Amino acid sequence: MTAEPDVARELAEILSHYSGAKSELIPILQDVQEKLGYLPEEVMQRVAKFLRLTDNTVYGVSTFYAQFSFTPTGRNKVTVCRGTACHVRGGARILAEIERRLGIKEGETTDDLEYTLETTACFGSCALAPVVVINKNVYGRVTTAKLAEILTMAE
Ligand code: FES
């Protein structure tokens, strides 16, 4: 499989800032993750070649750190709290409504790569339950009626 042209261009741009030292592996992977939202397999192979490391080394390091993802993620990350306080205040209904609106289940990404839907145990903002976080914005006391507005604001 060959890389999409823009992926290849993004990678070339990232690698142009590095000298090829093996110690640059994690910073390079972080840059790729930030730019592309995930680590495509062919990109990891190219990074391995650039740093003269084996594919297994690059794969091993990248799977060790939870910050790296191997599947495409959406431009907007929607996280619904599944903690007790949020659950008691209708969190499950909020999650179901978001799944319905986006047409995806928890852990999935929309085909247009606009949204990835995740859940978490507790944001530590229980007083605002139920809580939904979109990217870095925290929305409290969310109702199903408010969701359309909240999701639109993320776009
Ligand atoms: S339980 Fe949802 S923020 Fe704590």
Side-chain angles (χ1 to χ4, degrees), residues 74-145:
R75 209 167 54 78
N76 299 294
K77 186 164 121 183
V78 180
T79 311
V80 180
C81 182
R82 272 186 185 276
T84 308
C86 288
H87 182 76
V88 169
R89 294 197 165 185
R93 226 176 24 249
I94 299 297
L95 176 61
E97 179 62 13
I98 294 176
E99 288 180 337
R100 192 188 67 77
R101 283 183 177 274
L102 299 183
I104 53 173
K105 295 282 181 203
E106 173 194 351
E108 294 179 349
T109 297
T110 55
D111 288 343
D112 61 3
L113 297 183
E114 274 299 310
Y115 295 98
T116 292
L117 177 58
E118 294 177 349
T119 62
T120 191
C122 175
F123 285 114
S125 306
C126 309
L128 297 176
V131 177
V132 173
V133 172
I134 303 184
N135 304 322
K136 290 184 177 135
N137 300 320
V138 179
Y139 299 94
R141 301 199 177 92
V142 175
T143 60
T144 49

